C-alpha cells in the first residue's frame, strides 16, 4: 500500500511501512511482557514513535499513559508513583532525567525492562490521561476501549474524511483531543497525517499546509487568530 500514513520531521511512512513499525514495536513490547496488566508510560517527542507505540500497546491490551515531554521531575515522580507505571518508554535525550527521578523514589522502577506487575484495573481500560493539575496534583482519568472507539467513530462520521484528505497535527500529541480526535480518527479513516513538530512556528505551519496540501487542520482559537491576522 503506497498511501502515505505519516509525515514527520524525521521520517515518512506509507500505511504498509507504518504497519511494519507497529508490528516491530509490538514484538519489542512482548519481549518485556507487556500485557493487559501493564501500565505503559510513553514520554516521547517523536510523534511517529509515540503513535506506533500507542497502537502497539493497545494491541497488547496494555493501559497507556501519555506523559508530556516537558513535564517537570516532581510532577513526573508523582505520575509514576500515583499510577504505578511499571514500564516507561522515553527518548534517549530524557534518559538522565528519568534515571534521576527513578533513583529518588523508594520503589524499584525500570526504563523499558521486563515487569511482572499486574494492576487492578479492568482489562478494558485503554488510556489513563493526566489532568493538568493547575489547582491540585494531577489525577488520572481512565478511558475504556469502548469509550475511545465510540468517540473515534462519532468524530469520523462528523468530519466525513475522505481518502485524499491530509490532516495537519499541530497540538501536543499527548493531549486526549489530539490522540482520539485527530490521530486515531485519521488512521481509522486511512488519510495522511502531517506532523508540525514540537515547536509551533507560523511559517512552518504555512509551509506544511502548502507542501502537503493540507485539507483538515485542528487549532486553538489563538492560533487561528494569528493566522487571520497574518492574512492566511
Amino acid at each position: 500500500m503506497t498511501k502515505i500514513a505519516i509525515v514527520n520531521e524525521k521520517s515518512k511512512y506509507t500505511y504498509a511501512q507504518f504497519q511494519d513499525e507497529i508490528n516491530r514495536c509490538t514484538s519489542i513490547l512482548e519481549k518485556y511482557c507487556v500485557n493487559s496488566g501493564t501500565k505503559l508510560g510513553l514520554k516521547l517527542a517523536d510523534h511517529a514513535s509515540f503513535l506506533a507505540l500507542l497502537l502497539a500497546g493497545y494491541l497488547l491490551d496494555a493501559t497507556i499513559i501519555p506523559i508530556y515531554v516537558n513535564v517537570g521531575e516532581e510532577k513526573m515522580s508523582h505520575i509514576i508513583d500515583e499510577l504505578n507505571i511499571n514500564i516507561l518508554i522515553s527518548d534517549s535525550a530524557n534518559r538522565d532525567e528519568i534515571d534521576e527521578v527513578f533513583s529518588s523514589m523508594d520503589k524499584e522502577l525500570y526504563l523499558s525492562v521486563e515487569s511482572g506487575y499486574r494492576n487492578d484495573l479492568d482489562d478494558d481500560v485503554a488510556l489513563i490521561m493526566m489532568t493538568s493539575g493547575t489547582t491540585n496534583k494531577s489525577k488520572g482519568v481512565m478511558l475504556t476501549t469502548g469509550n475511545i472507539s465510540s468517540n473515534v467513530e462519532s468524530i469520523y462520521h462528523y468530519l466525513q474524511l475522505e481518502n485524499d484528505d491530509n490532516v495537519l497535527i499541530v497540538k501536543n500529541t499527548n493531549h486526549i483531543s489530539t490522540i482520539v480526535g485527530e490521530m486515531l480518527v485519521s488512521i481509522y479513516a486511512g488519510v495522511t497525517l502531517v506532523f508540525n513538530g514540537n515547536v509551533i512556528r507560523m511559517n512552518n505551519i504555512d509551509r506544511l499546509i502548502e507542501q502537503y496540501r493540507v485539507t483538515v487542520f485542528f487549532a486553538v482559537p489563538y492560533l487561528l487568530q494569528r493566522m487571520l491576522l497574518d492574512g492566511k
Side-chain angles (χ1 to χ4, degrees), residues 154-221:
S154 295
I155 296 169
Y156 166 73
H157 288 300
Y158 176 79
L159 293 176
Q160 297 183 350
L161 294 174
E162 298 182 356
N163 190 58
D164 58 352
D165 277 318
N166 298 318
V167 179
L168 176 62
I169 304 293
V170 172
K171 296 187 301 177
N172 194 308
T173 50
N174 292 281
H175 196 280
I176 186 60
S177 66
T178 311
I179 294 172
V180 175
E182 300 177 44
M183 294 194 297
L184 294 185
V185 168
S186 296
I187 294 297
Y188 181 79
V191 302
T192 298
L193 269 171
V194 180
F195 287 103
N196 169 66
N198 294 310
V199 180
I200 296 177
R201 295 188 179 93
M202 295 304 301
N203 59 348
N204 192 50
I205 292 174
D206 298 339
R207 178 184 62 80
L208 290 173
I209 290 175
E210 293 180 10
Q211 182 177 351
Y212 296 104
R213 298 181 181 180
V214 169
T215 55
V216 180
F217 169 41
F218 297 89
V220 295

Side-chain angles (χ1 to χ4, degrees), residues 74-75 78 82 130-140:
E74 182 178 350
K75 195 169 184 178
H78 166 71
E82 183 74 13
M130 300 305 299
T131 60
S132 62
T134 51
T135 58
N136 207 328
K137 288 186 177 180
S138 299
K139 297 178 177 61

Side-chain angles (χ1 to χ4, degrees), residues 87-119:
I87 295 182
L88 175 63
I89 298 178
S90 178
D91 299 298
S92 58
N94 296 320
R95 180 62 189 262
D96 291 341
E97 172 195 340
I98 290 170
D99 284 346
E100 185 174 342
V101 169
F102 283 3
S103 65
S104 67
M105 302 181 72
D106 293 334
K107 61 190 201 175
E108 195 173 10
L109 293 169
Y110 302 93
L111 178 67
S112 299
V113 298
E114 180 176 347
S115 172
Y117 178 83
R118 303 285 299 184
N119 65 32

Side-chain angles (χ1 to χ4, degrees), residues 17 25 30 36 61-62 68 76 87 91 96 104 125 127 129 131 137 179 181 197:
Q17 290 170 333
C25 290
E30 284 180 319
S36 60
D61 292 326
Y68 285 101
M76 189 167 73
I87 295 182
D91 299 298
D96 291 341
S104 67
V125 174
L127 277 175
M129 303 299 302
T131 60
K137 288 186 177 180
I179 294 172

